[in-house]
Amino acid sequence: MKKNILFILLAIAIASCSKKDSTPDTNLNQNIVGGTPIGTGSFTGTPGHTVSGSATWVTTNGETKLQLSNFSTSNGPDLRVYVSKDLNASSFISLGKLQSTSGNQVYTIPSGTDVKNFPYALIWCQQFSVLFGSALVK
Amino acid sequence: MKRRFTLLFVLFAAVTTFAQQKKANLAELSLSAGDWFTVSASYTPIWGLGKSKKLKMGVGIRLNSSFGNNLLFETAPAKLTSGQTGPGVLFAENIKANIDTLRINSPQVNALNLYYTIEYAVSKKFDVGFNIDLLGFSFGGSKPATYLSNNVGTATTAKPTAFNLLLISDNDLGTLNSEIYGRYHLNKKIALKAGATFIFNEYKTTTKVQNVAGQTNDRFRNKALMAMVGISFKI
């Protein structure tokens, strides 16, 4: 009996934890209207994580934005979108939490950032420092 | 500083003054697992105090070697984390705006420290005890690291902070280990122990990467509570 109660409590704890930490899975349809694409690349996942879709730099109204198109990723805790100098995220800028695990999404690059110095778009689990997927944007 | 050394001296003097004939030398090996994997080897003379000799104290030497993977270290100096450096640090709320993070992919820290131990013999076969590192030195290789602040990660390198000193809470310097445990004596010579390790591992970046409110910082600390098992030999 004790074992059963412990098991149930553990299951509830695990379920509530993953729900709280995981990324929403609503299929988004955000698109940049107009603008000039200055580079694009395709996402590939890392072992154990499936990531697909494309990443495109777009300049519009003096801002640079990152457009994720037909994007899809396996879910995980604390997923972020980084632009990075390498795949290890040794030098990067975080564009914020990944809004959804699927669909078209737009992220704004902080002003003054030279995106040529950050050629990789990363889907990064910040809590555990794990790379889910990347796209080399060129 | 003078006061701190006086305190350490008094502590040591207390141990040696109370020293009775019932002295044992303990050599121990502990393994701790959690955020880190830590191997600790220690040697300490330990004295039984009072008539019953149930209360035991000692000051010994301990070598800690910790291995980690993808770990985060937070701003260490108390003046940044708590806005003060006195004993009030123990009760002060952390100032989140002053705390940044250093990420190291494969941290490895070694520390050779003087440590203090206190134990109580609950029965002939079973002791409970606590020990804590007091001061010493750390060493280890330089590691690539990423300093994280305001959504920006910057590449840097870091090495274990060289000097270790137990003070109060975030005032502590360097890498310090502590254990709380129960020890079961298999026979007169060998005992097994199990409990928890609470370890501070500290890295120093090669440049002062953090600049907050006019203060610069290069020290970052990881605190970890881990399960521990060990074996003790009476020599």
Side-chain angles (χ1 to χ4, degrees), chain A residues 44-75:
Chain A
T44 52
T46 53
H49 306 106
T50 308
V51 183
S52 61
S54 67
T56 307
W57 298 125
V58 180
T59 55
T60 175
N61 299 324
E63 281 188 315
T64 305
K65 297 189 174 188
L66 178 67
Q67 168 85 57
L68 305 188
S69 303
N70 300 317
F71 177 78
S72 176
T73 178
S74 42
N75 213 332

Side-chain angles (χ1 to χ4, degrees), chain B:
Chain B
M1 191 59 120
K2 213 175 180 183
R3 216 182 266 176
R4 288 163 198 157
F5 282 114
T6 309
L7 182 73
L8 287 176
F9 177 76
V10 170
L11 203 66
F12 186 75
V15 170
T16 48
T17 305
F18 283 110
Q20 305 286 311
Q21 292 157 352
K22 193 153 186 178
K23 178 192 157 201
N25 295 316
L26 282 183
E28 294 193 314
L29 187 70
S30 301
L31 304 175
S32 305
D35 286 349
W36 298 79
F37 179 74
T38 299
V39 182
S40 300
S42 62
Y43 174 82
T44 179
I46 193 162
W47 290 273
L49 305 182
K51 272 187 181 175
S52 67
K53 310 282 189 291
K54 283 188 170 182
L55 186 64
K56 294 175 269 187
M57 283 194 225
V59 173
I61 195 157
R62 172 158 58 197
L63 176 69
N64 304 299
S65 195
S66 296
F67 304 81
N69 183 36
N70 263 336
L71 291 178
L72 300 177
F73 297 71
E74 291 190 337
T75 300
K79 66 180 176 184
L80 288 175
T81 62
S82 310
Q84 55 181 299
T85 54
V89 167
L90 206 54
F91 308 103
E93 288 279 322
N94 276 348
I95 305 169
K96 285 185 180 169
N98 289 355
I99 298 176
D100 285 338
T101 305
L102 188 75
R103 189 183 73 221
I104 303 179
N105 287 336
S106 53
Q108 203 279 311
V109 183
N110 310 296
L112 186 64
N113 287 330
L114 202 64
Y115 80 106
Y116 171 74
T117 187
I118 182 165
E119 292 182 4
Y120 184 78
V122 178
S123 68
K124 276 188 176 176
K125 286 271 187 187
F126 192 69
D127 303 325
V128 290
F130 169 76
N131 61 51
I132 190 162
D133 287 353
L134 301 173
L135 78 164
F137 296 93
S138 292
F139 51 98
S142 182
K143 297 282 180 180
T146 300
Y147 167 63
L148 313 168
S149 178
N150 296 323
N151 292 326
V152 174
T154 310
T156 183
T157 53
K159 277 189 84 166
T161 302
F163 183 57
N164 312 322
L165 180 63
L166 176 72
L167 294 167
I168 294 172
S169 188
D170 281 357
N171 284 311
D172 291 351
L173 292 174
T175 293
L176 298 163
N177 193 5
S178 60
E179 295 173 344
I180 186 161
Y181 55 86
R183 181 192 289 119
Y184 181 77
H185 295 269
L186 296 175
N187 53 46
K188 283 187 176 177
K189 290 279 180 193
I190 300 173
L192 299 177
K193 70 175 193 175
T197 288
F198 188 52
I199 191 164
F200 285 13
N201 282 303
E202 193 181 293
Y203 267 89
K204 203 169 185 175
T205 51
T206 43
T207 56
K208 288 186 185 276
V209 288
Q210 186 177 13
N211 194 333
V212 59
Q215 297 179 74
T216 54
N217 173 46
D218 55 6
R219 291 175 46 224
F220 295 86
R221 178 187 293 133
N222 177 285
K223 301 175 185 179
L225 178 65
M226 303 189 287
M228 179 271 295
V229 291
I231 186 163
S232 311
F233 301 95
K234 209 175 265 185
I235 299 172

